[in-house]
Amino acid sequence: MTVIDISPSVMQFLLAFIVVAPLLGALAALLPAPPGLKGRNPDQAVLRHGVTVTGAVLVAAIVLAAGFDHDHPATMQATTDISWIPALDVRIHLGTDGISLPLLVLTALLTFLCALYSYFKLPAGPSPKAFVALVLVLESGTLATFAVLDLLLFFLAFEMVLIPMYFLIARWGGDQRQPAAWKFILYTLLGSVVMLLGLLLIGLKSGTFDMVALATDNGRGLTASVQLIAVLAIGLGLAVKTPMWPLHSWLPDAHTAAPTVGSVLLAGILLKMGTYGFVRILLPVAPDGMRTFAPYLAAFAVVGIVYGSLACLALARTGAKGDLKRLIAYSSVGHMGFVLLGIATMTPTGVNGALFANIAHGLITGLLFFLVGAVKDRYGTADLDTLAGATGAALYGRAPRLGALLAFAAVASLGLPGLAGFWGEMLTLFGAYSPAEGLSRPAFRTFMAIGAFGTLLTAAYMLIVVRRVCMGEHAPHSRLSPDGQPQQAPRAADGPQPSGTAGSQPSGTAGSQPSGTAGSQPSGTAGSQPSGTTGSQPSGAAGSRTASTPQLADIHPYEAAAWTPLAALTVIAGLWPAVLLGLTDPAVQQLLAGGKS
């Protein structure tokens, strides 16, 4: 069944266009804009070019998904197979099935939303031309990773994304961007060197680099020792990119330093490349080696779940000076732990859960990083103590729609039933309850129990974040008079103000206004306050709220345009999981069966 009937040749063209168009767009972005397309200035023209190219790729991806035969999702569709390097039997082999198609659409969607967001909110840094070109190269590399079916092409596409992400962090990032960028590139390059050796070992020992042929062979052409070495080498490189504990330490630094769109792309897309490699390459090509290492992979996964949650709890506590972006980064370590646990079960239930959790994490964490970036723009900081101690009822009182959306993303991230985050975690735990034949059931049930405990820790730190950032701290608003009656804290006219109250304002309140607050309004808000700003003040402020404690600018139209699709898809995937599972399950069943339905 297809939504629209498209000929195979058109499907081939669509997949090739999706992979190649961003690369051609990156080259065009570096050229001078044609005279009729310059707009108000060259910077605006190149940003509009980025939106146009990513928009065209998104449309092509949606049409490809509509033309996909949903009755046969285990079959490679829209395939292109052209000889490239005959001496090594390397071929330009492209194709998509129920496993890769959702990742292709997710990549196209997130990149388009990042380009749209950057058109209105370009991060501070060098030339916009370079920024747009790097984003487009990054998109081309990630799309190619999910579309190629040759081991060496997979490696080239896998590495293609490293340089663009390095420069996005190093040139457009915030504090400590240079050390974070170097840590990112060194970790991933070292892992990639080892991964390349494993890929070459498989290709040379089996006589082919074709991933479809290798999956159909199901490891029968590889000895047990070759499979063990290949899984260890390739798995190490993929684990760095995932990232798996204890190879994760580059991730919090990279996220903290990266610009908003860099964090969205890193969490929403790049982390999926590692887990996709486990499913596409190691599970079908080296099943015996995976079976040997599966208990260790599951053990590292559940340690990552608990470790990531405990790190988030430590950052969220009062007085820890925790960075909200860093906290979300550590939460990704825990969420990707669930993905790895599902893969380690080597069961259809667990692998389907891992693939579902991959997509859910891309939607939810992408939305979270968009929101955290917006909060940082308004307050001038992502420090949790500063955000929680701001005058008034924090986001609920100062930017209620922004606060509500942040709370929504947080409860989606903790796995609330009815939202996308729930199904992936539940299916991975079910898979761990009954792992594949040959795996220790008591060990995996222990891993399941630890993973379930990790869900409780996730709920704990996410609710703490919502309470502190959205509701604010419980400040001492009054004190007792000599006769035992409560009295208000003194105002500015009565003497010195305590820290965090009106009069001596913290960063991001009246007096020293960050961009986007009342007083210094962002483009499009000057002169008139956004809905729900100054005027009548909400209750819950320190003492009595006055005009000197302004609200923040609430959600802007361009922010709503970039965030609404992610929120909507989070709800749709949570309420209707069969849309995604109907694609992945037949493909996973065939993959685990060695190419046999």
Side-chain angles (χ1 to χ4, degrees):
M1 179 192 70
T2 60
V3 178
I4 56 177
D5 190 18
I6 302 177
S7 67
S9 59
V10 175
M11 291 286 284
Q12 288 179 337
F13 170 78
L14 286 173
L15 185 57
F17 174 82
I18 287 170
V19 173
V20 176
L23 197 58
L24 298 177
L27 295 175
L30 299 176
L31 300 175
L37 298 177
K38 286 185 177 179
R40 291 193 299 269
N41 56 67
D43 291 349
Q44 185 197 42
V46 73
L47 293 171
R48 186 171 59 244
H49 169 78
V51 175
T52 303
V53 173
T54 55
V57 171
L58 176 59
V59 170
I62 293 172
V63 175
L64 179 71
F68 187 83
D69 186 356
H70 292 259
D71 288 334
H72 302 90
T75 303
M76 284 293 171
Q77 302 180 33
T79 55
T80 299
D81 193 0
I82 304 171
S83 179
W84 184 32
I85 308 176
L88 297 176
D89 193 28
V90 178
R91 309 182 68 82
I92 299 177
H93 193 182
L94 305 177
T96 185
D97 63 356
I99 293 173
S100 58
L101 181 64
L103 291 168
L104 288 171
V105 177
L106 176 67
T107 301
L109 173 65
L110 283 177
T111 312
F112 169 72
L113 296 180
C114 286
L116 181 64
Y117 186 85
S118 299
Y119 180 80
F120 295 94
K121 189 71 177 178
L122 182 68
S127 166
K129 282 190 173 185
F131 177 83
V132 171
L134 290 170
V135 169
L136 291 174
V137 171
L138 184 68
E139 180 182 30
S140 182
T142 50
L143 289 168
T145 301
F146 300 135
V148 297
L149 298 173
D150 183 275
L151 289 181
L152 291 186
L153 279 184
F154 175 85
F155 176 78
L156 293 177
F158 198 86
E159 296 305 291
M160 183 176 170
V161 305
L162 299 185
I163 299 303
M165 183 53 69
Y166 167 80
F167 281 109
L168 286 176
I169 297 172
R171 303 301 300 275
W172 284 269
D175 296 337
Q176 300 297 314
R177 58 182 181 269
Q178 290 291 347
W182 275 110
K183 197 171 187 179
F184 163 76
I185 199 73
L186 289 176
Y187 262 79
T188 50
L189 280 178
L190 289 174
S192 298
V193 170
V194 181
M195 184 177 72
L196 176 60
L197 296 177
L199 294 174
L200 290 173
L201 177 65
I202 288 178
L204 295 176
K205 290 294 183 180
S206 63
T208 180
F209 290 98
D210 186 86
M211 292 160 67
V212 176
L214 288 167
T216 303
D217 188 63
N218 202 220
R220 287 182 285 270
L222 300 174
T223 65
S225 59
V226 169
Q227 289 195 34
L228 286 174
I229 296 172
V231 170
L232 184 61
I234 298 172
L236 185 63
L238 297 174
V240 171
K241 186 64 71 72
T242 297
M244 179 186 75
W245 181 91
L247 304 173
H248 68 283
S249 61
W250 62 268
L251 183 68
D253 292 340
H255 271 308
T256 304
T260 296
V261 295
S263 294
V264 172
L265 295 173
L266 181 58
I269 302 174
L270 266 67
L271 301 190
K272 312 302 174 283
M273 295 165 60
T275 53
Y276 175 77
F278 276 104
V279 175
R280 178 63 76 195
I281 299 174
L282 293 185
L283 278 178
V285 175
D288 294 336
M290 271 296 292
R291 193 170 287 107
T292 300
F293 283 106
Y296 303 101
L297 179 64
F300 283 124
V302 295
V303 170
I305 292 171
V306 175
Y307 171 83
S309 299
L310 292 177
C312 290
L313 282 171
L315 289 170
R317 75 179 191 274
T318 304
K321 293 293 181 183
D323 187 281
L324 189 52
K325 288 187 71 175
R326 195 174 189 85
L327 185 146
I328 303 301
Y330 273 111
S331 77
S332 291
V333 175
H335 288 305
M336 299 313 290
F338 280 103
V339 177
L340 291 173
L341 176 61
I343 294 170
T345 67
M346 299 184 69
T347 62
T349 301
V351 176
N352 276 305
L355 294 172
F356 198 104
N358 246 353
I359 300 299
H361 179 265
L363 296 172
I364 297 168
T365 308
L367 178 59
L368 277 171
F369 275 116
F370 268 134
L371 293 168
V372 173
V375 170
K376 186 173 182 179
D377 289 338
R378 286 156 170 78
Y379 280 94
T381 181
D383 178 74
L384 270 168
D385 288 335
T386 303
L387 298 178
T391 304
L395 280 182
Y396 283 163
R398 306 186 69 194
R401 286 182 287 275
L402 181 60
L405 193 55
L406 179 61
F408 165 81
V411 297
S413 182
L414 63 83
L416 184 73
L419 299 176
F422 170 74
W423 295 106
E425 294 180 3
M426 185 193 71
L427 290 173
T428 58
L429 295 177
F430 280 172
Y433 182 81
S434 183
E437 185 179 352
L439 298 179
S440 171
R441 184 163 293 189
F444 271 83
R445 289 185 177 178
T446 302
F447 298 146
M448 181 199 73
I450 298 173
F453 176 66
T455 63
L456 300 179
L457 295 178
T458 303
Y461 72 74
M462 277 299 179
L463 293 176
I464 290 173
V465 168
V466 171
R467 178 181 62 80
R468 298 192 68 203
V469 177
C470 295
M471 302 177 187
E473 300 286 21
H474 296 287
H477 294 167
S478 63
R479 57 189 182 186
L480 295 179
S481 61
D483 60 358
Q485 297 299 317
Q487 65 180 13
Q488 294 293 336
R491 298 198 179 108
D494 301 322
Q497 297 292 327
S499 174
T501 62
S504 174
Q505 297 291 346
S507 174
T509 61
S512 174
Q513 299 288 348
S515 174
T517 61
S520 175
Q521 293 297 335
S523 175
T525 61
S528 62
Q529 297 288 345
S531 175
T533 60
T534 57
S536 60
Q537 301 291 343
S539 60
S544 60
R545 288 186 64 87
T546 68
S548 63
T549 57
Q551 292 178 283
L552 304 174
D554 216 328
I555 298 177
H556 299 301
Y558 72 89
E559 293 173 329
W563 304 342
T564 300
L566 300 179
L569 289 172
T570 298
V571 175
I572 292 171
L575 296 178
W576 199 7
V579 174
L580 185 56
L581 293 174
L583 283 173
T584 62
D585 184 54
V588 168
Q589 296 274 3
Q590 181 165 304
L591 205 67
L592 294 176
K596 299 182 291 291
S597 299

